[in-house]
Amino acid sequence: MMKRESGIKSYPIWVVINPKHPISHDNWTPVLDEIQDRVYRTMNTRIETSNIYFRNAVSESRLVPNTLNWWGPEVAKEIEQFREISYEYKPRMIFSLGAFAFEFLRRVYEIKPEKGPKAWSNANLGDEFERSIDNFDINKTNIIPLLHRVGASGNFIDTNNYFSRKDGENYYRYVGAKLAEKIIENKDRLDIWINKSSVQLSSTCIAP
């Protein structure tokens, strides 16, 4: 099980997870792999992934709301705590994995109207993903929703036609391509790159 948090808060990329679904972390990796592949092909470098800040939205899985205790006072405290650190560090991109993490971030940033537990179907999360890409602004914090679970094949048909794309289209490839495009567009505004000089130095320091 993942620790409450890992990585560096000052890093521009954050990932927020529902502690009830630790497998979410595994579904982030294929998206990141697709981003890295496209970034490398375009820029001949990679994102420094070891610094990405991961955080469980709430400290304990029992605090994750359900239809009976939707957003009780303990969760309100967690929202306030997250709001404090996010306003202090101002990440450029916060990825939410799953419906709860996305609604949690909406409440952190006081996005109205507040939604209930069944509001965020895969299709609705897909609409919000498209909106986040269309409205992407490197000068502010961008909240970008992703799924916490994807079918074994990674196809949209296995995720209830997420994004309403054609059956058989790969979720990870589609999402990764969209995100890579925005990251590459803003490459000079994001301090997220592996230090090329250190890579070059290590490759030249080989004993004769």
Side-chain angles (χ1 to χ4, degrees):
M1 184 175 178
M2 184 187 127
K3 298 184 297 184
R4 173 66 194 273
E5 60 180 358
S6 65
I8 300 175
K9 291 188 182 76
S10 59
Y11 200 65
I13 300 174
W14 291 15
V15 181
V16 176
I17 295 173
N18 180 342
K20 279 190 173 181
H21 302 293
I23 196 173
S24 298
H25 203 297
D26 297 331
N27 283 316
W28 159 252
T29 302
V31 173
L32 181 60
D33 287 345
E34 187 67 30
I35 295 170
Q36 291 280 56
D37 179 71
R38 291 173 182 268
V39 164
Y40 185 78
R41 291 173 187 276
T42 302
M43 300 174 54
N44 197 33
T45 188
R46 296 185 185 277
I47 296 168
E48 178 54 82
T49 59
S50 63
N51 294 337
I52 293 174
Y53 180 60
F54 290 90
R55 184 181 177 92
N56 282 331
V58 292
S59 57
E60 301 177 53
S61 59
R62 69 173 182 82
L63 297 180
V64 176
N66 56 43
T67 53
L68 298 179
N69 67 346
W70 191 240
W71 304 99
E74 290 177 304
V75 179
K77 289 175 62 176
E78 299 273 357
I79 288 171
E80 184 58 38
Q81 289 173 7
F82 192 98
R83 183 179 293 132
E84 288 179 4
I85 64 168
S86 63
Y87 283 13
E88 178 181 356
Y89 291 98
K90 298 179 174 60
R92 298 300 87 188
M93 290 172 278
I94 307 183
F95 295 98
S96 61
L97 297 181
F100 168 63
F102 181 56
E103 180 61 20
F104 180 88
L105 288 175
R106 291 178 79 253
R107 297 189 183 210
V108 167
Y109 285 90
E110 300 178 293
I111 299 171
K112 305 294 183 180
E114 294 180 346
K115 300 285 188 176
K118 297 182 179 179
W120 297 117
S121 64
N122 286 345
N124 288 341
L125 284 174
D127 291 341
E128 291 298 321
F129 175 85
E130 296 289 354
R131 188 173 291 112
S132 71
I133 294 297
D134 291 342
N135 298 324
F136 190 91
D137 182 356
I138 198 61
N139 296 308
K140 67 180 184 66
T141 297
N142 297 272
I143 299 171
I144 304 171
L146 302 175
L147 298 182
H148 75 74
R149 182 173 57 204
V150 177
S153 71
N155 290 342
F156 283 107
I157 193 172
D158 297 319
T159 59
N160 298 324
N161 290 324
Y162 182 75
F163 299 160
S164 299
R165 301 292 170 180
K166 64 184 180 181
D167 292 349
E169 185 169 12
N170 184 276
Y171 165 78
Y172 301 121
R173 189 174 302 119
Y174 178 80
V175 169
K178 288 280 191 177
L179 294 172
E181 180 181 328
K182 292 301 177 184
I183 290 170
I184 293 167
E185 282 178 5
N186 295 281
K187 62 183 184 299
D188 296 328
R189 302 287 303 280
L190 290 167
D191 186 14
I192 60 174
W193 309 111
I194 288 177
N195 189 320
K196 287 186 178 181
S197 61
S198 64
V199 174
Q200 292 168 353
L201 181 63
S202 63
S203 64
T204 56
C205 293
I206 301 174

